[in-house]
Amino acid sequence: MSPSAAARPTSAARARLLGTATKIFYAEGIHSVGIDRITAEAQVTRATLYRHFSGKEDLVLAYLGQADQGIRGQVAAAVGSTPSAAGQVRAVARSLVDGIRSPGFRGCAFLNAVAEYPDPAHPVHRAVLAHRQWFLETVTELLARAGDGDVPADAAGRHLVMLRDGAMAAGCLFDPELVSETFLHGVEGVLREVSAPVPEAG
């Protein structure tokens, strides 16, 4: 048997474990879910889980890593859909709205996770901050290209991230259509902010 053929069952088991953990962690939270529940639903043994992950924390980090890669791909696709910087900001916003409107939406996986891991030194907390820093830098760069340089893009970037956080929190509590409409309206305000000239001092 070739090495690749021997590795296939292992890869399938890991994917099943991660897929199961992702579904349950996102829907029900992380601390409330034990290893036994995950292995039972993934139909693998504890030994199989520990062959792929050093423990639950490692599985949580893999879950967040997969979410991070998915969002990076989503943002890259949005940015690649139009050459206009302002259009790219709008496309990223629309991709976020698509998530809010999707069945089973339970808010931001990263905000949900950090609420359960408040210690800034914890690896899960650090993983959340790293993802958020990437997103902030990405939208700030887009806004810098969309503006004329009069209004600082870093302030506009922070504004957009706060709008996004609010939409993510409200999207699973209130009417997702209304939340989405409000968020997109707010993004238009941020775009106007970065493109409006600063009045000269009188």
Side-chain angles (χ1 to χ4, degrees), residues 7-195:
R8 270 197 288 272
T10 299
S11 298
R14 186 184 189 283
R16 200 158 63 247
L17 277 163
L18 185 53
T20 300
T22 293
K23 179 181 68 176
I24 303 175
F25 287 160
Y26 184 69
E28 301 180 24
I30 296 170
H31 288 330
S32 64
V33 179
I35 289 296
D36 289 341
R37 165 90 181 277
I38 294 169
T39 55
E41 293 204 15
Q43 299 183 319
V44 301
T45 64
R46 268 180 167 260
T48 299
L49 183 144
Y50 288 120
R51 192 157 59 242
H52 298 290
F53 304 98
S54 61
K56 183 177 176 181
E57 180 183 301
D58 193 26
L59 183 57
V60 173
L61 290 170
Y63 153 61
L64 292 176
Q66 181 171 265
D68 173 70
Q69 290 303 310
I71 293 170
R72 286 173 186 257
Q74 172 186 316
V75 169
V79 169
S81 67
T82 175
S84 156
Q88 290 168 351
V89 173
R90 292 186 178 102
V92 169
R94 285 194 299 270
S95 74
L96 295 173
V97 161
D98 288 343
I100 292 170
R101 290 169 170 161
S102 65
F105 177 73
R106 298 277 295 173
C108 171
F110 293 90
L111 291 177
N112 294 347
V114 84
E116 296 194 62
Y117 292 86
D119 180 3
H122 195 283
V124 171
H125 194 106
R126 293 201 303 267
V128 171
L129 293 184
H131 169 79
R132 290 179 61 79
Q133 185 62 31
W134 161 78
F135 185 75
L136 173 60
E137 290 173 357
T138 299
V139 297
T140 298
E141 180 183 344
L142 291 176
L143 288 165
R145 292 197 280 111
D148 60 10
D150 287 337
V151 174
D154 56 347
R158 291 193 300 272
H159 188 179
L160 194 151
V161 171
M162 289 182 69
L163 287 172
R164 178 260 181 204
D165 289 348
M168 286 287 174
C172 57
L173 297 173
F174 305 107
D175 179 0
E177 291 298 328
L178 182 59
V179 169
S180 298
E181 180 184 333
T182 303
F183 171 63
L184 293 176
H185 180 74
V187 171
E188 289 300 322
V190 173
L191 284 169
R192 286 194 298 272
E193 182 179 82
V194 296
S195 61

